[in-house]
Amino acid sequence: MNHKLAIEKILEISSSLKSDTILKTCIEFLYDNFDKYSWIGIYLVKENNLILGPWKGKQATEHVKIPIGKGICGSAAKSGNTEIISDVSSDNRYLACFVSTKSEIVVPIKKDSKVIGEIDIDSNIPNAFNNKDAEFLEKIADIFAKFL
Ligand code: SME
């Protein structure tokens, strides 16, 4: 699916559901419509940690609580910047979840420029994410921020 249509669908989901089911439905929608996403989840900032929220993938991750500053997820939460990792095996911050993962993108969700959570996506394809994906997911993160 193209990014523009996906944003329209996410906005449609956001305006038609109760707030407690919006994020879960959006995450499922993204997983189901982008083949290169092999796992997608939302982490929420709670004190000094990231706590796993809604997710979809073939397997659960053991990383349900990640300290801010640790891993790719913790780095993005600390800096507030999107992280695109084209080859996870060459990044020594990487916390492995699935042996099949080759690349990853982590996009902070911000409210009033404060990081309140993030979208984390793994791909089984090397170098799966570029700046267009970052731009798209940053728009999605802005929509999600309204429901957090
Ligand atoms: N790889 C992440 C941990 C989360 S799992 O990918 C779901 C990291 O390095 O922070």
Side-chain angles (χ1 to χ4, degrees):
M1 176 177 288
N2 72 54
H3 288 161
K4 191 168 172 279
L5 182 58
I7 300 234
E8 283 167 17
K9 292 276 181 195
I10 292 280
L11 287 170
E12 202 177 295
I13 292 168
S14 307
S15 61
S16 61
L17 293 178
K18 286 198 195 138
S19 59
D20 58 344
T21 55
I22 289 172
L23 292 180
K24 186 176 179 290
T25 309
C26 289
I27 287 299
E28 289 171 357
F29 167 80
L30 290 168
Y31 179 85
D32 293 343
N33 286 280
F34 289 91
D35 290 346
K36 69 181 181 182
Y37 299 180
S38 56
W39 187 93
I40 177 167
I42 291 183
Y43 284 92
L44 300 170
V45 173
K46 297 240 162 76
E47 292 161 3
N48 293 323
N49 293 291
L50 290 160
I51 307 294
L52 185 61
W55 62 274
K56 190 164 182 188
K58 288 205 173 70
Q59 284 168 268
T61 174
E62 65 187 67
H63 297 294
V64 293
K65 182 176 177 180
I66 301 173
I68 306 280
K70 290 265 183 285
I72 312 294
C73 287
S75 298
K78 195 173 176 184
S79 70
N81 297 323
T82 294
E83 291 275 358
I84 296 176
I85 311 300
S86 53
D87 171 11
V88 293
S89 71
S90 67
D91 194 311
N92 57 19
R93 299 169 301 170
Y94 177 65
L95 298 172
C97 289
F98 318 109
V99 281
S100 53
T101 297
K102 297 285 187 286
S103 58
E104 181 168 10
I105 185 168
V106 182
V107 179
I109 301 171
K110 297 179 198 171
K111 212 175 220 172
D112 303 325
S113 57
K114 193 172 162 252
V115 178
I116 55 168
E118 59 190 29
I119 303 167
D120 176 24
I121 305 176
D122 282 26
S123 181
N124 293 342
I125 302 166
N127 197 14
F129 305 106
N130 59 26
N131 288 338
K132 291 268 175 237
D133 296 287
E135 247 172 60
F136 164 62
L137 292 163
E138 283 163 9
K139 285 184 191 150
I140 302 280
D142 285 344
I143 298 171
F144 286 180
K146 297 188 191 123
F147 305 103
L148 288 172

